[in-house]
Amino acid sequence: CAKEEGRGSYRLFEPQMGAQVRDRRLLEHDLRLALARDQLALVYQPQVDIETAEVTGFEVLLRWTHPERGAVPPAKFIPIAEETGLIMQLGEWVMRSACKEAASWSNPLSVAVNVSAVQLHATHFVDFVRDVLRTTGLAPARLEIEITETAMIRNINRAISNLRQVKALGVKVAMDDFGTGYSSLSNLRAFPFDRIKVDQSFIRAVHDNDQSAAIVRAVLGLGKGLNLPILAEGVERPEELEFLRNEICHSAQGYWFGRPQHIGVYADVISGRRRTLDAHLPPLGEKR
Ligand code: C2E
Ligand code: MG
Ligand code: MG
Ligand code: MG
Protein backbone atom coordinates (compact mmCIF):
# COMPACT_ATOMS: atom_id res chain seq x y z
CA CYS A 1 0.00 0.00 0.00
CA ALA A 2 2.20 2.83 -1.26
CA LYS A 3 0.78 6.18 -0.26
CA GLU A 4 1.75 9.50 -1.73
CA GLU A 5 3.03 12.30 0.45
CA GLY A 6 2.12 15.75 -0.86
CA ARG A 7 5.56 17.33 -1.02
CA GLY A 8 8.13 15.49 -3.13
CA SER A 9 5.73 12.53 -3.28
CA TYR A 10 7.93 9.72 -1.98
CA ARG A 11 6.58 6.28 -1.33
CA LEU A 12 5.54 5.74 2.25
CA PHE A 13 6.30 2.02 2.05
CA GLU A 14 8.64 -0.03 -0.05
CA PRO A 15 8.09 -3.79 -0.23
CA GLN A 16 11.53 -4.63 1.20
CA MET A 17 11.09 -2.45 4.32
CA GLY A 18 11.33 -4.24 7.66
CA ALA A 19 8.50 -3.89 10.16
CA GLN A 20 10.51 -1.45 12.30
CA VAL A 21 11.29 0.84 9.39
CA ARG A 22 7.65 0.76 8.31
CA ASP A 23 6.53 1.66 11.80
CA ARG A 24 8.95 4.57 11.90
CA ARG A 25 7.77 5.80 8.53
CA LEU A 26 4.17 5.61 9.71
CA LEU A 27 4.99 7.60 12.85
CA GLU A 28 6.84 10.19 10.78
CA HIS A 29 3.84 10.54 8.51
CA ASP A 30 1.49 10.95 11.48
CA LEU A 31 3.83 13.35 13.27
CA ARG A 32 3.67 15.69 10.29
CA LEU A 33 -0.07 15.96 10.84
CA ALA A 34 0.02 16.05 14.63
CA LEU A 35 0.63 19.79 15.00
CA ALA A 36 -2.13 20.77 12.58
CA ARG A 37 -4.53 18.29 14.19
CA ASP A 38 -3.98 19.54 17.69
CA GLN A 39 -2.51 16.29 19.04
CA LEU A 40 0.48 17.96 20.68
CA ALA A 41 0.43 19.40 24.17
CA LEU A 42 2.86 20.76 26.71
CA VAL A 43 3.21 19.58 30.29
CA TYR A 44 5.14 21.39 33.02
CA GLN A 45 7.29 19.91 35.77
CA PRO A 46 8.33 22.03 38.77
CA GLN A 47 11.96 22.75 39.63
CA VAL A 48 12.58 23.36 43.30
CA ASP A 49 15.21 25.15 45.39
CA ILE A 50 16.29 22.47 47.88
CA GLU A 51 17.16 24.87 50.69
CA THR A 52 13.95 26.91 50.64
CA ALA A 53 11.63 24.27 49.09
CA GLU A 54 10.29 26.98 46.80
CA VAL A 55 9.42 26.37 43.18
CA THR A 56 11.82 28.37 41.01
CA GLY A 57 10.47 27.39 37.61
CA PHE A 58 9.12 24.67 35.34
CA GLU A 59 10.57 22.45 32.66
CA VAL A 60 8.37 22.12 29.59
CA LEU A 61 7.94 18.64 28.11
CA LEU A 62 6.23 17.80 24.85
CA ARG A 63 3.42 15.23 24.71
CA TRP A 64 1.91 13.60 21.66
CA THR A 65 -1.40 11.79 21.84
CA HIS A 66 -1.74 9.70 18.71
CA PRO A 67 -5.37 9.06 17.68
CA GLU A 68 -4.89 5.27 17.58
CA ARG A 69 -1.70 4.57 19.53
CA GLY A 70 -2.42 6.88 22.44
CA ALA A 71 0.55 8.56 24.13
CA VAL A 72 3.79 8.25 22.15
CA PRO A 73 6.82 8.97 24.39
CA PRO A 74 9.24 11.76 23.36
CA ALA A 75 12.08 9.23 23.40
CA LYS A 76 10.33 7.64 20.44
CA PHE A 77 9.19 10.62 18.40
CA ILE A 78 11.85 13.27 19.10
CA PRO A 79 14.61 11.27 17.31
CA ILE A 80 12.29 10.83 14.32
CA ALA A 81 11.54 14.54 14.33
CA GLU A 82 15.28 15.29 14.45
CA GLU A 83 16.10 12.98 11.55
CA THR A 84 13.34 14.35 9.35
CA GLY A 85 13.83 18.01 10.18
CA LEU A 86 10.31 18.19 11.64
CA ILE A 87 11.94 19.16 14.94
CA MET A 88 12.32 22.73 13.62
CA GLN A 89 8.58 23.20 13.42
CA LEU A 90 7.88 21.26 16.63
CA GLY A 91 10.64 22.97 18.59
CA GLU A 92 9.54 26.41 17.51
CA TRP A 93 5.96 25.63 18.46
CA VAL A 94 7.14 24.40 21.88
CA MET A 95 9.24 27.48 22.60
CA ARG A 96 6.68 29.98 21.41
CA SER A 97 3.84 28.32 23.33
CA ALA A 98 5.90 27.91 26.50
CA CYS A 99 7.09 31.51 26.52
CA LYS A 100 3.58 32.77 25.88
CA GLU A 101 2.32 30.64 28.75
CA ALA A 102 5.07 31.77 31.15
CA ALA A 103 4.55 35.42 30.24
CA SER A 104 0.99 35.11 31.57
CA TRP A 105 2.03 34.02 35.08
CA SER A 106 1.77 36.51 37.94
CA ASN A 107 4.68 34.77 39.64
CA PRO A 108 7.72 35.45 37.44
CA LEU A 109 9.08 31.89 37.54
CA SER A 110 11.50 30.54 34.96
CA VAL A 111 10.56 28.27 32.09
CA ALA A 112 13.04 25.68 30.80
CA VAL A 113 12.67 24.52 27.19
CA ASN A 114 14.52 21.54 25.69
CA VAL A 115 16.27 22.58 22.50
CA SER A 116 17.46 20.01 19.99
CA ALA A 117 20.88 20.12 18.29
CA VAL A 118 19.11 20.57 14.99
CA GLN A 119 17.51 23.79 16.21
CA LEU A 120 20.73 25.00 17.79
CA HIS A 121 22.59 24.63 14.52
CA ALA A 122 20.05 26.56 12.46
CA THR A 123 21.33 29.94 11.27
CA HIS A 124 18.13 31.68 12.31
CA PHE A 125 18.02 30.23 15.84
CA VAL A 126 19.07 33.44 17.59
CA ASP A 127 16.67 35.55 15.53
CA PHE A 128 13.91 33.12 16.36
CA VAL A 129 14.53 33.31 20.12
CA ARG A 130 14.75 37.10 19.96
CA ASP A 131 11.45 37.21 18.10
CA VAL A 132 9.73 34.92 20.61
CA LEU A 133 10.89 37.08 23.52
CA ARG A 134 9.77 40.26 21.79
CA THR A 135 6.35 38.99 20.77
CA THR A 136 5.53 37.24 24.05
CA GLY A 137 7.07 39.94 26.25
CA LEU A 138 8.77 37.31 28.42
CA ALA A 139 11.77 38.69 30.34
CA PRO A 140 14.81 36.95 28.77
CA ALA A 141 16.21 35.89 32.15
CA ARG A 142 13.07 33.81 32.74
CA LEU A 143 13.82 31.60 29.75
CA GLU A 144 16.28 28.74 30.11
CA ILE A 145 17.21 26.47 27.25
CA GLU A 146 18.28 22.90 28.03
CA ILE A 147 20.89 21.33 25.82
CA THR A 148 21.93 17.67 25.95
CA GLU A 149 25.56 16.70 25.66
CA THR A 150 24.97 14.57 22.59
CA ALA A 151 23.35 17.59 21.04
CA MET A 152 26.62 19.42 21.12
CA ILE A 153 29.03 17.07 19.46
CA ARG A 154 27.93 18.10 15.97
CA ASN A 155 29.32 21.31 14.49
CA ILE A 156 30.62 22.75 17.71
CA ASN A 157 31.41 26.20 16.33
CA ARG A 158 27.94 27.17 15.20
CA ALA A 159 26.45 25.78 18.39
CA ILE A 160 28.86 27.78 20.57
CA SER A 161 28.26 30.92 18.58
CA ASN A 162 24.47 30.57 18.78
CA LEU A 163 24.60 29.77 22.49
CA ARG A 164 26.73 32.83 23.19
CA GLN A 165 24.39 35.07 21.22
CA VAL A 166 21.35 33.67 22.99
CA LYS A 167 23.08 34.21 26.32
CA ALA A 168 23.83 37.78 25.29
CA LEU A 169 20.06 38.29 25.05
CA GLY A 170 19.89 37.39 28.74
CA VAL A 171 18.59 33.84 28.26
CA LYS A 172 19.96 31.09 30.55
CA VAL A 173 21.53 27.88 29.27
CA ALA A 174 21.54 24.56 31.12
CA MET A 175 23.45 21.37 30.30
CA ASP A 176 20.87 18.58 30.43
CA ASP A 177 21.45 14.90 31.32
CA PHE A 178 24.97 15.58 32.54
CA GLY A 179 27.10 12.46 32.73
CA THR A 180 25.36 10.40 30.07
CA GLY A 181 26.64 11.83 26.78
CA TYR A 182 30.13 12.23 25.39
CA SER A 183 33.05 14.45 26.43
CA SER A 184 31.02 16.18 29.09
CA LEU A 185 34.02 17.81 30.70
CA SER A 186 35.33 19.43 27.54
CA ASN A 187 31.81 20.64 26.76
CA LEU A 188 31.70 22.27 30.17
CA ARG A 189 34.77 24.25 29.28
CA ALA A 190 33.67 25.09 25.75
CA PHE A 191 30.14 26.30 26.51
CA PRO A 192 28.95 29.17 28.65
CA PHE A 193 26.46 27.21 30.78
CA ASP A 194 24.51 28.72 33.64
CA ARG A 195 23.80 25.42 35.34
CA ILE A 196 24.19 21.66 35.12
CA LYS A 197 21.38 19.12 35.36
CA VAL A 198 22.69 15.79 36.63
CA ASP A 199 21.06 12.88 34.83
CA GLN A 200 18.45 10.97 36.79
CA SER A 201 20.35 7.69 36.42
CA PHE A 202 22.85 8.99 39.01
CA ILE A 203 20.14 10.21 41.39
CA ARG A 204 18.22 6.93 41.41
CA ALA A 205 18.80 5.40 44.85
CA VAL A 206 21.81 7.66 45.40
CA HIS A 207 21.35 7.23 49.16
CA ASP A 208 21.81 3.48 48.76
CA ASN A 209 24.47 3.19 46.08
CA ASP A 210 28.10 4.05 46.80
CA GLN A 211 29.03 4.54 43.14
CA SER A 212 26.17 6.92 42.44
CA ALA A 213 26.88 8.79 45.66
CA ALA A 214 30.56 9.23 44.72
CA ILE A 215 29.63 10.45 41.25
CA VAL A 216 27.03 12.92 42.49
CA ARG A 217 29.46 14.25 45.12
CA ALA A 218 32.08 14.71 42.41
CA VAL A 219 29.65 16.58 40.17
CA LEU A 220 28.66 18.81 43.08
CA GLY A 221 32.36 19.53 43.66
CA LEU A 222 32.77 20.31 39.98
CA GLY A 223 29.83 22.69 40.12
CA LYS A 224 31.30 24.40 43.14
CA GLY A 225 34.69 24.78 41.46
CA LEU A 226 33.17 26.12 38.26
CA ASN A 227 30.65 28.24 40.15
CA LEU A 228 27.76 26.48 38.41
CA PRO A 229 24.59 25.55 40.32
CA ILE A 230 23.61 21.87 40.06
CA LEU A 231 20.07 20.59 39.57
CA ALA A 232 19.37 16.92 40.35
CA GLU A 233 16.94 15.32 37.90
CA GLY A 234 14.48 12.54 38.63
CA VAL A 235 14.21 12.80 42.41
CA GLU A 236 11.56 10.24 43.35
CA ARG A 237 12.15 9.49 47.02
CA PRO A 238 12.66 11.49 50.20
CA GLU A 239 15.90 9.57 50.85
CA GLU A 240 17.35 10.82 47.58
CA LEU A 241 16.38 14.37 48.43
CA GLU A 242 17.84 14.02 51.90
CA PHE A 243 21.17 12.93 50.40
CA LEU A 244 21.16 15.92 48.03
CA ARG A 245 20.29 18.31 50.82
CA ASN A 246 23.13 17.04 53.00
CA GLU A 247 25.55 17.32 50.09
CA ILE A 248 24.39 20.90 49.39
CA CYS A 249 22.89 20.40 45.96
CA HIS A 250 21.21 23.61 44.82
CA SER A 251 17.99 22.42 43.19
CA ALA A 252 15.97 19.40 42.17
CA GLN A 253 13.22 18.13 39.95
CA GLY A 254 11.33 14.83 39.95
CA TYR A 255 8.19 12.91 40.77
CA TRP A 256 8.75 13.49 44.50
CA PHE A 257 7.96 17.17 43.97
CA GLY A 258 5.59 16.94 41.05
CA ARG A 259 5.03 15.13 37.79
CA PRO A 260 4.97 16.82 34.42
CA GLN A 261 1.35 18.00 34.24
CA HIS A 262 -0.94 20.37 32.47
CA ILE A 263 -0.06 23.81 33.83
CA GLY A 264 -3.52 24.18 35.36
CA VAL A 265 -2.52 21.65 38.01
CA TYR A 266 0.05 24.18 39.23
CA ALA A 267 -2.34 27.16 39.13
CA ASP A 268 -1.61 28.14 42.74
CA VAL A 269 2.12 28.28 42.09
CA ILE A 270 2.06 30.29 38.88
CA SER A 271 -0.42 32.74 40.39
CA GLY A 272 1.90 33.23 43.36
CA ARG A 273 -0.72 32.08 45.89
CA ARG A 274 1.75 29.49 47.07
CA ARG A 275 5.50 29.09 46.72
CA THR A 276 6.03 25.47 47.75
CA LEU A 277 4.53 22.13 46.73
CA ASP A 278 2.95 19.43 48.83
CA ALA A 279 6.06 17.22 48.91
CA HIS A 280 7.10 17.15 52.53
CA LEU A 281 10.55 18.61 52.89
CA PRO A 282 12.02 18.21 56.36
CA PRO A 283 13.17 21.45 57.99
CA LEU A 284 16.75 22.46 57.26
CA GLY A 285 19.38 20.38 59.03
CA GLU A 286 16.95 17.72 60.16
CA LYS A 287 18.20 14.17 59.69
CA ARG A 288 15.91 11.24 59.22
P1 C2E B 1 14.76 15.48 29.76
O1 C2E B 1 14.83 16.83 29.18
O2 C2E B 1 15.94 15.00 30.51
O3 C2E B 1 13.44 15.46 30.63
C1 C2E B 1 13.29 14.73 31.83
C2 C2E B 1 12.55 13.44 31.61
O4 C2E B 1 12.48 12.72 32.84
C3 C2E B 1 11.11 13.63 31.18
O5 C2E B 1 10.75 12.53 30.36
C4 C2E B 1 10.35 13.58 32.49
O6 C2E B 1 9.00 13.21 32.34
C5 C2E B 1 11.14 12.50 33.21
N1 C2E B 1 11.08 12.61 34.67
C6 C2E B 1 10.98 13.70 35.44
N2 C2E B 1 11.02 13.40 36.75
C7 C2E B 1 11.15 12.06 36.83
C8 C2E B 1 11.23 11.13 37.93
O7 C2E B 1 11.22 11.48 39.11
N3 C2E B 1 11.37 9.82 37.60
C9 C2E B 1 11.41 9.38 36.31
N4 C2E B 1 11.54 8.07 36.10
N5 C2E B 1 11.32 10.23 35.25
C10 C2E B 1 11.20 11.55 35.51
P2 C2E B 1 9.94 12.71 28.99
O8 C2E B 1 8.91 13.77 29.16
O9 C2E B 1 9.54 11.35 28.55
O10 C2E B 1 11.03 13.28 28.00
C11 C2E B 1 12.15 12.52 27.64
C12 C2E B 1 13.13 13.38 26.87
O11 C2E B 1 12.58 13.80 25.64
C13 C2E B 1 13.52 14.65 27.60
O12 C2E B 1 14.50 14.38 28.59
C14 C2E B 1 14.04 15.48 26.44
O13 C2E B 1 15.37 15.13 26.13
C15 C2E B 1 13.13 15.04 25.31
N6 C2E B 1 12.07 16.06 25.14
C16 C2E B 1 10.88 16.19 25.77
N7 C2E B 1 10.21 17.29 25.35
C17 C2E B 1 11.00 17.86 24.42
C18 C2E B 1 10.90 19.03 23.58
O14 C2E B 1 9.94 19.82 23.64
N8 C2E B 1 11.94 19.29 22.71
C19 C2E B 1 13.03 18.47 22.64
N9 C2E B 1 14.01 18.80 21.76
N10 C2E B 1 13.18 17.38 23.42
C20 C2E B 1 12.18 17.08 24.29
MG1 MG C 1 15.41 18.58 29.84
MG1 MG D 1 17.37 15.59 31.58
MG1 MG E 1 16.76 13.15 29.22
Side-chain angles (χ1 to χ4, degrees):
C1 65
K3 285 189 191 167
E4 299 278 307
E5 173 76 2
R7 188 169 51 89
S9 71
Y10 66 95
R11 280 153 67 92
L12 190 57
F13 300 123
E14 300 290 349
Q16 73 278 14
M17 278 182 179
Q20 241 181 330
V21 177
R22 285 174 60 120
D23 193 56
R24 249 181 111 82
R25 198 59 79 80
L26 265 176
L27 269 185
E28 176 193 336
H29 175 264
D30 292 349
L31 190 54
R32 275 180 206 284
L33 306 172
L35 239 184
R37 301 197 172 165
D38 218 25
Q39 296 164 8
L40 297 177
L42 298 180
V43 286
Y44 294 76
Q45 185 177 36
Q47 301 180 324
V48 171
D49 181 309
I50 293 181
E51 194 181 321
T52 64
E54 289 184 357
V55 176
T56 57
F58 289 90
E59 177 176 3
V60 183
L61 295 155
L62 187 53
R63 292 291 177 262
W64 178 20
T65 308
H66 188 281
E68 287 104 37
R69 298 170 193 241
V72 184
K76 184 145 190 185
F77 72 81
I78 293 285
I80 295 175
E82 288 178 324
E83 281 163 34
T84 57
L86 264 175
I87 193 70
M88 293 303 299
Q89 225 186 319
L90 291 188
E92 293 189 356
W93 179 79
V94 170
M95 186 173 294
R96 207 175 274 285
S97 311
C99 290
K100 193 174 166 204
E101 169 60 41
S104 76
W105 303 342
S106 318
N107 191 356
L109 300 166
S110 65
V111 65
V113 177
N114 293 287
V115 170
S116 159
V118 182
Q119 291 175 270
L120 195 61
H121 289 91
T123 42
H124 72 283
F125 180 71
V126 182
D127 288 336
F128 171 74
V129 174
R130 192 185 291 113
D131 181 68
V132 167
L133 293 170
R134 190 179 52 80
T135 54
T136 61
L138 186 74
R142 291 181 57 201
L143 174 62
E144 179 172 73
I145 63 178
E146 297 194 0
I147 313 284
T148 54
E149 291 182 61
T150 38
M152 291 179 300
I153 53 176
R154 291 177 44 232
N155 189 353
I156 290 282
N157 290 336
R158 170 91 59 70
I160 294 181
S161 161
N162 275 348
L163 273 184
R164 287 197 192 282
Q165 290 180 66
V166 161
K167 273 201 72 163
L169 299 175
V171 172
K172 304 283 190 261
V173 183
M175 182 191 267
D176 203 353
D177 299 351
F178 183 71
T180 56
Y182 303 96
S183 61
S184 37
L185 296 176
S186 47
N187 278 335
L188 269 188
R189 205 170 43 179
F191 290 86
F193 290 104
D194 294 285
R195 68 168 161 177
I196 297 172
K197 299 186 71 176
V198 186
D199 190 72
Q200 54 176 310
S201 56
F202 302 107
I203 306 303
R204 189 69 55 250
V206 69
H207 58 285
D208 209 27
N209 181 312
D210 292 345
Q211 269 95 6
S212 297
I215 290 167
V216 172
R217 281 194 192 97
V219 175
L220 288 169
L222 191 63
K224 207 172 167 190
L226 294 173
N227 208 9
L228 286 177
I230 306 290
L231 180 145
E233 299 192 83
V235 175
E236 291 183 354
R237 311 173 189 170
E239 295 85 359
E240 294 159 357
L241 174 61
E242 196 51 32
F243 175 91
L244 295 165
R245 174 195 286 272
N246 289 334
E247 299 294 332
I248 325 290
C249 179
H250 186 260
S251 46
Q253 182 180 341
Y255 295 168
W256 173 252
F257 300 100
R259 293 189 178 247
Q261 309 240 47
H262 182 268
I263 193 64
V265 170
Y266 297 109
D268 283 354
V269 177
I270 61 173
S271 70
R273 279 193 295 275
R274 56 181 306 181
R275 297 186 177 283
T276 61
L277 297 158
D278 283 326
H280 303 292
L281 297 176
L284 250 185
E286 182 181 320
K287 300 251 172 153
R288 295 194 186 188

